Amino acid sequence: MMQEKQKIAFITGATSGIGKATAELFAKNNIKLILCGRRQEKLDALKKTLQNKTAVHTLNFDVRKKEDVRAAIQSLPEEFASIDILVNNAGNAHGLDPIQSGALEDWDAMIDINVKGLLYVSRAILPGMIQRKNGHIINIGSTAGKEVYPGGNVYCASKHAVDAINQGMRIDLNENGIRVGAVNPGLVETEFSEVRFKGDEERAKKVYQGYQPLKPEDIADIIYFVTTRPYHVNIADLVVMPTAQASSTIVKKKE
Ligand code: NDP
Ligand code: 8X3
């Protein structure tokens, strides 16, 4: 029997949270990994833990810098170049201010990372996928891409853009047989809120108190499930929340 080729996954934002949990689960399942992020020490530590399970290559770049994105992807050694799975996960919220007092730097960060960064990475990886007539893109959106909540303004806009890009990619890549789908989580306990509240750990912790939030591993399970369906099955758009959450603003918390 012919052995199936070992798959290669490219994960952005692999240094923490959802991306890291996905890297760990993919490694367990013998998927070769290209792990990306800006924190070199985190990339090194992850490579050290996972490389006894699978081959790991790390890339340090900021998704905002289009030249760096292109150069990093072009630098891939041949044995990592045929990417099968792209997990467009790098992203964060910056701030939760009302629109009238929002910080311009926060807006730039969210649009530049969550939207433009995702586009730059995809644009650099797609030609190879098209040439090989093989590829699966998973865009990490959010419930914030399906609804808008107070103070969510620009973060929600960035994730609504991801929702639109996910649909647009699926339409444009249809003729190439490339699978495209989004996973849209609700509240997941990661470094997300620490980044949003600029290192205010107390405020960040409160977001996840009084109920059971999702764990990054819950999302990794779903991403792995999405990537392991037979080729004719494309999970196009999936929303997942903690059971305690009904919408962005309705979360059943203990008194
Ligand atoms: P984390 O803060 O734990 O992880 C964010 C990741 O993105 C890090 O690995 C970080 O790496 C990377 N990243 C951030 N900015 C950049 C940049 N400029 N260039 C390259 N990499 C960058 O948060 P999550 O794991 O929660 O977030 C992952 C994705 O999930 C995001 O797109 C987020 O919007 C989405 N999401 C999160 C939810 C949640 O409740 N946590 C819910 C719904 C969606 P480094 O700092 O090393 O560069
Ligand atoms: C992250 C979930 O509700 O904080 O995308 O926006 S939320």
Side-chain angles (χ1 to χ4, degrees):
M1 210 172 70
M2 260 225 320
Q3 244 197 326
E4 217 188 306
K5 173 189 164 277
Q6 191 185 15
K7 289 215 163 124
I8 302 176
F10 187 106
I11 304 175
T12 65
T15 53
S16 83
I18 294 169
K20 180 167 182 259
T22 305
E24 289 165 345
L25 185 58
F26 278 12
K28 247 192 234 163
N29 288 282
N30 198 33
I31 296 173
K32 271 169 87 165
L33 293 172
I34 303 156
L35 305 178
C36 312
R38 293 164 303 171
R39 287 171 291 177
Q40 190 60 46
E41 70 289 355
K42 301 251 179 207
L43 290 173
D44 292 343
L46 198 54
K47 181 173 176 174
K48 203 166 161 209
T49 1
L50 300 185
Q51 70 189 357
N52 60 349
K53 300 194 181 78
T54 189
V56 180
H57 186 82
T58 61
L59 290 177
N60 184 330
F61 62 89
D62 185 326
V63 296
R64 283 175 287 199
K65 299 188 178 152
K66 49 175 162 304
E67 280 313 322
D68 293 1
V69 170
R70 212 160 49 124
I73 292 165
Q74 274 174 359
S75 78
L76 283 171
E78 207 185 317
E79 65 273 23
F80 283 94
S82 305
I83 297 160
D84 300 289
I85 301 164
L86 164 60
V87 184
N88 270 324
N89 165 73
N92 276 114
H94 293 263
L96 185 65
D97 299 312
I99 202 82
Q100 57 275 30
S101 56
L104 302 194
E105 313 79 66
D106 285 345
W107 296 355
D108 284 344
M110 291 185 279
I111 303 286
D112 290 350
I113 300 168
N114 304 354
V115 184
K116 290 162 72 181
L118 179 148
L119 288 169
Y120 297 155
V121 171
S122 305
R123 183 66 182 81
I125 289 177
L126 274 169
M129 285 185 167
I130 290 169
Q131 199 182 23
R132 293 186 296 278
K133 297 185 172 53
N134 170 53
H136 194 161
I137 300 178
I138 293 132
N139 294 309
I140 306 302
S142 170
T143 44
K146 303 289 183 184
E147 52 179 316
V148 180
Y149 55 84
N153 46 62
V154 178
Y155 178 65
C156 295
S158 76
K159 289 297 182 178
H160 275 71
V162 172
D163 189 35
I165 291 165
N166 182 60
Q167 296 178 52
M169 277 184 178
R170 198 166 49 249
I171 293 166
D172 294 347
L173 296 167
N174 174 262
E175 61 179 343
N176 304 104
I178 291 170
R179 288 191 274 181
V180 180
V183 174
N184 303 284
L187 292 151
V188 190
E189 188 165 11
T190 64
E191 292 177 17
F192 178 86
S193 289
E194 268 180 65
V195 174
R196 166 168 257 175
F197 300 129
K198 304 174 197 308
D200 183 341
E201 288 178 26
E202 279 314 300
R203 191 171 175 200
K205 244 191 256 158
K206 279 203 190 111
V207 176
Y208 309 109
Q209 275 168 356
Y211 69 102
Q212 189 171 351
L214 293 170
K215 299 189 292 288
E217 290 75 16
D218 297 320
I219 306 303
D221 271 347
I222 289 166
I223 295 171
Y224 182 65
F225 177 81
V226 168
T227 61
T228 48
R229 294 312 86 211
Y231 175 70
H232 69 283
V233 180
N234 181 42
I235 297 181
D237 198 28
L238 186 153
V239 177
V240 52
M241 298 185 218
T243 303
Q245 181 177 18
S247 74
S248 290
T249 49
I250 302 173
V251 182
K252 184 174 157 53
K253 295 194 180 192
K254 287 188 208 96
E255 293 308 310

